[in-house]
Amino acid sequence: MQAVADYSKNRGGHTMPIRVGRVPYLESEPFYFDMERRGIELRQTTPRELGDALANGELDAGPAHISDVFRLEDRFEPVSGFCFSTQSRAVSVSLYSQLPMEELGGVTIGISDEDVTAAKLLEVLLRRKYGLEPGEFAVRPGDVIRPDESFDAFLLIGNRALRRRRGTRGFAHRFDLGAEWTQWTNLPFVFSQWVMRKDMEDREKAILEDTLYVGLEEGVDGLYHLNEPRDELLMLPRDVVEYVQGIRYYVGRSEQQAIARFRQYLEELNH
């Protein structure tokens, strides 16, 4: 009980734990390694739901997709430099297409309703890298995006993309959006960044930061030493290790440059 008390806050006279959004993707698992033990309340969420829950005051912190980091920056601040950044390829953010990328102007592209940033990254790539005018983005629930729908291409993120990392029958092309970005800009791509409410107490902010440090040290090590396959992802332990090796979990100079570049492109698209 003492651990819960130490890692909780007082709202309206009631002691409540710090509320953190839990995104159930493989790359996010290390962050949560030590949270429940220390009394932090985890709430399962998709990336889109996480951003909305932060905005609505239902959550205090979480790994917000970078588009939501921009949207919420008046009330939320980064937790140190914790992030999910891909260095040369994403693997977990993929576009499956019947056509080459340079022929995707004006076509219908299916996207998951879980998504926040990947669709915007795709729009930036189509407009800026390939000089194309995107067609319709058809939003579907994440668990029903299937290649048998009338899409010319469809975009998957997270664990669903990992399951189909080797491609999908009927779609001759698979484009890794992280690789597309890096080949174009020579920068990594920061998909999400941990944020917390600016008005949290300093003690609470320190608790959350410390928990994330422990999670990355112990949680990432746990992924490197898996003994069993991850059947739900169709991944052997060596596949998991290869995937994690391509991830950077902390913002450095190149990640800062990548965030600024993507923000610039988004602002240009909105004008």
Side-chain angles (χ1 to χ4, degrees):
M1 295 297 295
Q2 184 63 40
V4 175
D6 288 344
Y7 287 81
S8 59
K9 60 181 67 181
N10 188 291
R11 294 194 195 92
H14 301 282
T15 299
M16 298 178 66
I18 301 171
R19 304 164 301 174
V20 170
R22 179 172 192 162
V23 177
Y25 295 163
L26 177 63
E27 64 268 10
S28 299
E29 290 179 9
F31 289 124
Y32 304 107
F33 177 83
D34 201 38
M35 288 193 178
E36 288 183 309
R37 183 186 70 83
R38 297 168 76 166
I40 293 175
E41 179 183 334
L42 298 180
R43 299 188 183 182
Q44 194 94 332
T45 180
T46 68
R48 183 175 297 279
E49 291 169 345
L50 173 61
D52 291 341
L54 290 170
N56 296 334
E58 299 169 23
L59 291 174
D60 303 309
H65 267 235
I66 201 67
S67 302
D68 281 332
V69 174
F70 302 152
R71 175 168 70 100
L72 300 171
E73 64 184 357
D74 60 327
R75 288 179 289 154
F76 287 82
E77 63 186 56
V79 186
S80 190
F82 295 103
C83 72
F84 164 53
S85 171
T86 59
Q87 299 307 292
S88 60
R89 60 194 182 105
V91 186
S92 59
V93 182
S94 295
L95 180 72
Y96 307 84
S97 176
Q98 298 177 9
L99 302 168
M101 185 76 86
E102 58 268 20
E103 297 178 18
L104 288 179
V107 308
T108 300
I109 299 176
I111 64 171
S112 167
D113 64 352
E114 297 180 1
D115 179 37
V116 179
T117 294
K120 294 182 179 180
L121 172 57
L122 176 58
E123 184 178 3
V124 166
L125 291 169
L126 291 175
R127 291 183 184 274
R128 294 298 303 264
K129 183 178 180 180
Y130 291 96
L132 301 174
E133 185 66 29
E136 177 189 1
F137 283 172
V139 181
R140 298 287 188 275
D143 59 351
V144 299
I145 288 227
R146 298 189 180 95
D148 56 356
E149 294 199 53
S150 56
F151 300 136
D152 301 288
F154 67 99
L155 180 63
L156 290 182
I157 64 171
N159 289 357
R160 291 188 177 91
L162 289 178
R163 282 182 61 87
R164 294 183 177 177
R165 65 192 180 279
R166 306 196 192 284
T168 295
R169 181 175 299 178
F171 288 74
H173 306 276
R174 173 185 167 272
F175 301 103
D176 184 309
L177 295 197
E180 287 283 333
W181 167 269
T182 299
Q183 290 163 7
W184 179 41
T185 64
N186 200 32
L187 291 170
F189 191 82
V190 182
F191 282 94
S192 62
Q193 190 170 10
W194 272 82
V195 297
M196 58 189 170
R197 288 185 10 251
K198 289 182 177 180
D199 61 356
M200 286 174 64
E201 296 178 3
D202 290 343
R203 180 182 66 88
E204 295 166 351
K205 293 179 179 180
I207 287 168
L208 183 60
E209 182 176 342
D210 181 65
T211 306
L212 290 174
Y213 275 117
V214 172
L216 283 193
E217 181 175 340
E218 301 294 335
V220 172
D221 185 67
L223 290 180
Y224 273 110
H225 293 90
L226 285 177
N227 294 317
E228 300 293 333
R230 296 293 296 265
D231 291 334
E232 77 281 11
L233 302 176
L234 304 179
M235 299 179 81
L236 297 172
R238 66 172 180 268
D239 298 322
V240 174
V241 170
E242 182 181 1
Y243 175 58
V244 174
Q245 285 175 335
I247 297 172
R248 184 173 169 87
Y249 284 114
Y250 208 80
V251 172
R253 177 170 297 195
S254 60
E255 285 77 22
Q256 291 173 340
Q257 293 172 342
I259 291 171
R261 180 79 62 87
F262 185 59
R263 182 170 193 156
Q264 173 193 336
Y265 288 152
L266 286 184
E267 291 172 352
E268 291 172 357
L269 290 183
N270 292 331
H271 285 83

